[in-house]
């Protein structure tokens, strides 16, 4: 038998093995739609989702430990879920300890929102819109539908010789990847219609989701401006997995065909009362960005970047963006980074790369090493300076400085100062560091937006940040007695 014939016979056997699953179609409770779920029954969804739940919680920084906030979100979520087509499902609503604005759902009733999303929101109706949308993804069984599509693509690919089996196998082993990837426009529209149905049934303003989406777009433009990258204004967390516009959400509201809600619940006061004291931006476990300084009170180190750079923290590394796409990347090496920094840098980190001007350093009493090279990137050639610092017996920290060749000489001294700014934090210094927190403030007679924005700890765009946080239009003033959100602490 030829190799080609054997391939087609194997494909036929695979198709035959899949026939029972292909024949088994599922039904979405919320819509009545029939779809191929690759044998992913509701019982299997519950088992797999229960396995994936702790992994997702860990991936997003753990569960936020503010018990009042957790009870509030869970109570609102369960109220909405009781209006759905699956009220008897064992729903689980989780607030993730992440500053990123995000929301998503696993099958079988696992719904997640981040504290960053809560901080950005203005009222209970907006949160209800977000939760209702995610509940809609569950009751429409969108994850199961996409899972079935992935498996079907893998089988068809095997039969035709198309190399898509890897994607299918990943879908089998990691249902949460399906939940976190982008939904189709039709699924988003359907989830919006269902979300309107549930928020209307619970008595909340059905326009809450559209209002929150508008806030997200304002926040996106602000963050793009802070990063010096206006082109990135529409690339932010929630809309990467939920591609929609305000108009499309309002179209879904009209298509839902629900009766108008008389005296709809907005719930601004109760919502703000639950947010008083909530952590804003990064927690102590993630480290703090303070203007041009990064300080980590739990890992007990700090460093400072040059004037022209802006710092951004993430779960795996700290970035600083500078002029003409100059970049600083700071992270920790893996557990295999043992021994001498110079040896680690040349034999592990930059193995196979020619490093010039390698030398040993001492930084705040710690052994370190540096070397340089040049690489080609999509943005053109970049000069690279590597620095490895032995922090303790098990930890090696790393700087990577990337500069366009025309700026390397000018930035050499400022970046050298960044290298030598790395230092240990004393126990007293670490204990004195506090996260930014949200404070709910009642506007006093005579207070203005400028007055209140001046109280925030930020170094730039204070008034703009205050307006976005509170949903205030340009030129709109606060009124005496109005409750507003202030960022305090530091």
């Amino acid at each position: 038998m030829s190799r080609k014939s054997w391939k087609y016979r194997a494909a036929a056997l695979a198709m035959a093995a899949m026939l029972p699953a292909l024949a088994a179609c599922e039904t979405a409770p919320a819509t009545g739609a029939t779809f191929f779920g690759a044998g992913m029954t509701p019982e299997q969804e519950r088992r797999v989702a229960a396995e994936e739940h702790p992994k997702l919680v860990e991936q997003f920084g753990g569960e936020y430990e503010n018990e009042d906030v957790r009870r509030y979100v869970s109570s609102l979520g369960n109220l909405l879920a009781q209006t759905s087509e699956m009220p008897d499902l064992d729903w689980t609503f989780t607030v993730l300890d992440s500053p990123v604005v995000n929301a998503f759902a696993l099958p079988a009733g696992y719904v997640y929102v981040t504290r960053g999303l809560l901080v950005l929101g203005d009222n209970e109706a907006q949160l209800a819109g977000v939760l209702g949308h995610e509940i809609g993804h569950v009751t429409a069984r969108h994850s199961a539908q996409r899972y079935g599509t992935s498996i079907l693509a893998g089988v068809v690919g095997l039969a035709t010789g198309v190399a898509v089996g890897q994607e299918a196998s990943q879908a089998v082993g990691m249902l949460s990847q399906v939940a976190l990837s982008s939904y189709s426009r039709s699924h988003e529209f359907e989830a919006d219609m269902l979300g309107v149905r549930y928020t209307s049934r619970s008595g909340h303003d059905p326009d809450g989701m559209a209002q929150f989406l508008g806030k997200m777009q304002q926040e996106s433009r602000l963050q793009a401006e802070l990063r010096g990258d206006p082109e990135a204004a529409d690339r932010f967390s929630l809309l990467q997995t939920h591609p929609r516009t305000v108009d499309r959400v309002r179209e879904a509201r009209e298509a839902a065909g629900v009766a108008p809600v008389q005296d709809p619940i907005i719930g601004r006061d109760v919502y703000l009362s639950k947010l008083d004291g909530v952590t804003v931006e990064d927690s102590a476990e993630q480290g703090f960005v303070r203007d041009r300084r990064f300080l980590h009170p739990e890992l007990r180190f700090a460093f400072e970047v040059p004037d022209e750079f802006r710092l951004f923290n993430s779960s795996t590394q700290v970035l600083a963006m500078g002029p003409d796409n100059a970049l600083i990347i700071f992270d920790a090496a893996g557990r295999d980074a043992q021994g001498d920094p110079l040896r680690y840098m040349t034999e592990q980190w930059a193995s196979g790369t020619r490093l010039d001007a390698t030398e040993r350093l001492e930084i705040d009493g710690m052994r370190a090493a540096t070397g340089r090279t040049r690489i080609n990137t999509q943005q053109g050639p970049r000069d690279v300076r590597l620095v490895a610092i032995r922090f303790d017996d098990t930890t090696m920290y790393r700087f990577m400085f990337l500069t366009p060749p025309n700026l390397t000489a000018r930035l050499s001294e400022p970046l050298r100062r960044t290298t030598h700014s790395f230092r240990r934090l004393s126990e007293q210094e670490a204990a004195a560091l506090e996260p930014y927190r949200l404070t709910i403030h009642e506007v006093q007679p005579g207070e203005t937006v400028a007055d209140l924005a001046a109280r925030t700890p930020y170094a730039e765009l204070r008034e703009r940040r205050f307006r976005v946080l509170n949903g205030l239009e340009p030129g709109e003033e606060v009124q005496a007695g109005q409750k507003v959100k202030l960022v305090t602490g530091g």
Side-chain angles (χ1 to χ4, degrees), residues 20 44 53 60 65 70 81 120 130-131 138 147 159 198 217 249 260 263 268 319 346 354 358 379 450 469 472:
Q44 289 173 314
H53 170 68
F60 282 85
E65 295 182 354
R70 289 161 64 170
L120 183 61
V130 172
L131 293 174
V138 174
Y147 174 77
Y198 307 146
Q217 291 171 335
V249 172
D263 298 321
R268 177 173 171 80
L319 301 177
T346 56
R354 177 180 173 179
T358 59
Q379 298 173 326
L469 183 63
L472 297 172

Side-chain angles (χ1 to χ4, degrees), residues 273-412:
S273 70
K274 301 299 182 182
L275 292 186
D276 199 13
V278 165
T279 304
V280 178
E281 298 182 2
D282 297 316
S283 65
E285 292 81 4
Q286 298 156 339
F288 302 136
V289 171
R290 298 293 184 260
D291 297 331
R292 293 183 295 104
R293 295 179 300 152
F294 182 77
L295 307 101
H296 205 302
E298 294 207 348
L299 300 180
R300 300 270 297 274
F301 68 80
F303 63 86
E304 185 172 338
V305 299
D307 288 339
E308 298 174 87
F309 285 74
R310 287 190 176 94
L311 274 168
F312 302 94
N313 192 17
S314 74
S315 60
T316 58
Q317 59 189 12
V318 182
L319 301 177
M321 299 179 180
D324 198 12
N325 294 312
L327 187 65
I328 302 171
I329 304 173
F330 174 86
D331 64 6
R335 288 292 182 180
D336 60 341
Q338 303 297 319
D340 178 66
L342 183 59
R343 184 172 179 179
Y344 160 74
M345 184 178 65
T346 56
E347 297 182 7
Q348 290 182 256
W349 188 13
S351 176
T353 301
R354 177 180 173 179
L355 291 179
D356 298 321
T358 59
E359 61 176 313
R360 301 183 189 277
L361 304 172
E362 183 175 295
I363 298 172
D364 194 34
M366 293 171 278
R367 289 182 298 151
T370 186
R372 70 187 185 203
T373 188
R374 176 172 287 191
I375 62 173
N376 291 316
T377 73
Q378 292 181 343
Q379 298 173 326
R382 288 293 184 269
D383 290 328
V384 179
R385 165 76 64 179
L386 303 179
V387 177
I389 305 170
R390 170 58 66 189
F391 189 75
D392 56 34
D393 290 342
T394 61
T395 310
M396 186 87 75
Y397 287 120
R398 314 186 301 187
F399 284 104
M400 180 184 294
F401 303 99
L402 296 96
T403 55
N406 63 307
L407 286 183
T408 299
R410 180 170 75 80
L411 292 176
S412 176

Side-chain angles (χ1 to χ4, degrees), residues 473-490:
E473 297 295 330
E476 182 180 356
E477 266 301 340
V478 293
Q479 305 298 320
Q482 179 181 354
K483 292 182 178 179
V484 296
K485 293 179 283 185
L486 285 177
V487 177
T488 60

Side-chain angles (χ1 to χ4, degrees), residues 17-88:
M18 285 294 292
L19 284 176
L22 290 170
C25 288
E26 298 289 333
T27 302
T31 62
T34 301
F35 63 91
F36 167 62
M40 180 61 74
T41 65
E43 292 73 20
Q44 289 173 314
E45 284 183 336
R46 281 192 287 273
R47 185 178 67 252
V48 176
E51 293 173 356
E52 294 300 320
H53 170 68
K55 301 174 187 177
L56 275 175
V57 171
E58 182 180 4
Q59 179 182 344
F60 282 85
E63 190 170 357
Y64 188 48
E65 295 182 354
N66 186 312
E67 190 60 34
D68 285 344
V69 171
R70 289 161 64 170
R71 280 199 302 263
Y72 175 62
V73 172
S74 184
S75 175
L76 179 60
N78 278 300
L79 171 65
L80 292 160
Q82 290 307 302
T83 74
S84 77
E85 294 75 16
M86 303 177 71
D88 296 329

